[in-house]
Amino acid sequence: MRQCLSKSWTSRLRRYVKQILFMVYFSLLVFAFFNYRSHCVETMPNMLIEMARLDNSDEGRCKLDFEKLGDAEVDIFGEPSEQSIIEANPEVQKGGKWSPSDCRSWQRVAIIIPYRDRLHHLHILLRRLHPMLQTQKIDYRIFLIEQAGTDKFNRGKLMNVGYLEAFHQGDFDCLVFQDVDLLPEDDRNLYLCDGYARHLASAIDEMRYHVMYYNYAGGVIAMNKQNFRRINGYANSYWGWGNEDDDFSARIQESGLLLTRPPPHIGRFKMVRHAKETRSEHGNEMFLGWKARWPHDGLNSLNYSVVHVREKPLYTQILVDIGHPPSSMDVYMTDHSKDVSLWWFLKYYFP
Ligand code: UDP
Ligand code: BGC
Ligand code: MN
């Protein structure tokens, strides 16, 4: 009798264990299904040079010894003076340009910084960026795209202005769109483009050194001249904080471009501390309708006027009047024919 009882008890236990194992397996499958992002790929920075080598002759091209590059000292505190940065970077030319003198750089790179009223951040960034880009032997020029006036900030529009204005000043193969408060921590994180969209800020300290969600494409992103034009740049219609980088990432994904990233131990960035803005009231709602706006909201519909261009010792400052936001965002939300579903939206932000 006792034997019989213990037998039924063990068979019941076995059944429970089986059920639990099945549940775990099923949950993992569901988790993997939602986390599957085939357009996001991790690639090592040295691949950028290796791939370029396949297309171009590497005669006279700059060689980089990756073994010698690594973690750098990054200071997000202190208030470096402009003069001290100028003195520490004697080879930088007026306008914030530099190119290696002993080899040919792989790409000519324009660094585009959307900006208003963050001088303290700018100095901390320039103190880090100039030496790093020289270590990476990149032919570069830094552009500060400054929004005039006091209207809501429009990061996307400034990026588009930066793209067009950079080409008025010179020719570039690659553009790196860089927030003013983000400092790359690793010299191996090459500020170069691949044939896709390269999200360089793959691990920000504020986000616990993780990408907050797979589609995140904010902070610092590098894209070549052709690809940026091909996706019509950023949307111009996001005034205030939030969603413009998500709209840009959706354009990348929908165009069939990969979003490549350095592995997190290389894509590390520190953000200079500052007060957080709150999301613009209509940001999410606007984003639901991103697809209908895409063909006519971007580089092809950009209007602005340049107030002045000044070649400063460490950067080229381009002050621009980008107009005013409309009195109601409703003017941007007239066509709902291509609105994405709530399901798409939730999945988009799923980590
Ligand atoms: N920015 C600026 N002035 C502003 C607001 C934004 O220069 O008043 C630029 C700056 O380059 C900044 C970027 O836009 O790094 C993104 O804004 P913010 O840092 O506020 O956003 P976060 O990424 O920290 O949420
Ligand atoms: C916003 C983005 C922002 C990101 C990280 C998202 O919810 O829409 O614009 O870059 O959060 O802060
Ligand atoms: Mn910030």
Side-chain angles (χ1 to χ4, degrees):
M1 176 75 173
R2 193 181 295 156
Q3 210 176 8
C4 209
L5 264 180
S6 83
K7 219 178 191 177
S8 81
W9 188 84
T10 47
S11 73
R12 217 183 304 155
L13 184 71
R14 219 176 281 147
R15 210 171 52 230
Y16 283 144
V17 170
K18 264 193 204 155
Q19 277 172 358
I20 289 170
L21 284 178
F22 178 75
M23 296 277 279
V24 170
Y25 174 70
F26 187 71
S27 314
L28 280 175
L29 269 186
V30 172
F31 182 77
F33 177 75
F34 286 119
N35 256 322
Y36 184 63
R37 300 285 193 281
S38 56
H39 66 285
C40 299
V41 186
E42 236 173 55
T43 55
M44 291 298 286
N46 54 330
M47 283 306 291
L48 299 172
I49 289 181
E50 295 306 325
M51 284 190 298
R53 200 167 269 150
L54 298 177
D55 299 336
N56 297 300
S57 147
D58 63 357
E59 195 154 317
R61 295 281 187 180
C62 297
K63 309 257 181 310
L64 275 181
D65 187 353
F66 274 86
E67 301 292 313
K68 290 200 182 125
L69 302 182
D71 249 354
E73 274 284 304
V74 170
D75 182 6
I76 58 168
F77 303 105
E79 301 228 359
S81 67
E82 193 172 3
Q83 193 52 37
S84 67
I85 309 168
I86 296 171
E87 280 162 19
N89 294 279
E91 288 183 17
V92 173
Q93 289 170 19
K94 205 165 155 223
K97 303 183 243 191
W98 183 87
S99 59
S101 53
D102 55 344
C103 58
R104 231 157 22 105
S105 190
W106 285 96
Q107 294 172 10
R108 292 159 298 174
V109 179
I111 315 284
I112 309 290
I113 307 173
Y115 177 85
R116 185 169 67 190
D117 194 22
R118 299 241 187 140
L119 194 61
H120 164 220
H121 292 185
L122 178 64
H123 286 164
I124 293 180
L125 177 68
L126 293 170
R127 173 174 67 182
R128 167 68 185 134
L129 226 42
H130 279 296
M132 186 195 80
L133 295 170
Q134 291 167 33
T135 303
Q136 298 182 349
K137 300 189 181 172
I138 289 173
D139 178 341
Y140 70 89
R141 177 159 175 179
I142 297 180
F143 293 93
L144 191 79
I145 313 298
E146 182 170 348
Q147 179 171 340
T150 54
D151 283 310
K152 283 187 174 162
F153 195 71
N154 189 328
R155 184 172 173 274
K157 199 163 181 183
L158 292 172
M159 300 300 203
N160 287 340
V161 171
Y163 177 89
L164 292 184
E165 285 303 311
F167 290 111
H168 290 159
Q169 302 295 323
D171 201 7
F172 300 95
D173 310 295
C174 169
L175 297 103
V176 177
F177 300 90
Q178 155 93 49
D179 279 358
V180 76
D181 54 6
L182 284 175
L183 302 162
E185 291 184 41
D186 198 307
D187 286 341
R188 288 170 297 181
N189 197 1
L190 295 183
Y191 269 42
L192 291 176
C193 287
D194 53 22
Y196 317 107
R198 184 158 180 84
H199 186 221
L200 294 169
S202 63
I204 300 177
D205 64 346
E206 281 235 327
M207 301 177 183
R208 294 178 294 110
Y209 288 117
H210 280 80
V211 272
M212 209 191 264
Y213 43 94
Y214 267 90
N215 292 307
Y216 175 61
V220 188
I221 188 162
M223 214 175 195
N224 71 29
K225 185 177 169 177
Q226 297 80 7
N227 282 343
F228 191 83
R229 187 164 279 286
R230 193 170 134 206
I231 67 166
N232 201 17
Y234 278 80
N236 300 311
S237 48
Y238 291 85
W239 296 87
W241 189 92
N243 298 92
E244 85 296 334
D245 48 352
D246 301 325
D247 186 302
F248 188 63
S249 179
R251 291 174 179 213
I252 291 167
Q253 182 182 345
E254 195 71 13
S255 315
L257 287 175
L258 296 177
L259 190 60
T260 69
R261 294 194 172 101
H265 68 284
I266 292 178
R268 287 167 73 90
F269 277 78
K270 280 201 170 92
M271 192 188 281
V272 185
R273 305 287 174 254
H274 63 81
K276 280 274 147 204
E277 303 246 358
T278 47
R279 186 186 301 277
S280 144
E281 198 187 338
H282 297 286
N284 282 332
E285 207 182 331
M286 291 260 300
F287 184 40
L288 287 174
W290 76 273
K291 217 182 242 182
R293 275 194 313 276
W294 184 15
H296 53 82
D297 180 8
L299 269 185
N300 66 357
S301 63
L302 184 62
N303 51 55
Y304 66 96
S305 57
V306 172
V307 179
H308 67 235
V309 178
R310 288 199 182 137
E311 293 204 331
K312 305 265 189 170
L314 296 169
Y315 56 90
T316 299
Q317 178 204 33
I318 302 184
L319 183 66
V320 276
D321 176 354
I322 56 169
H324 307 286
S327 53
S328 158
M329 290 299 209
D330 291 345
V331 297
Y332 295 137
M333 293 186 274
T334 48
D335 182 359
H336 291 284
S337 63
K338 290 189 181 148
D339 276 12
V340 296
S341 64
L342 193 59
W343 177 239
W344 183 96
F345 182 84
L346 292 176
K347 246 176 56 171
Y348 183 90
Y349 287 112
F350 193 82

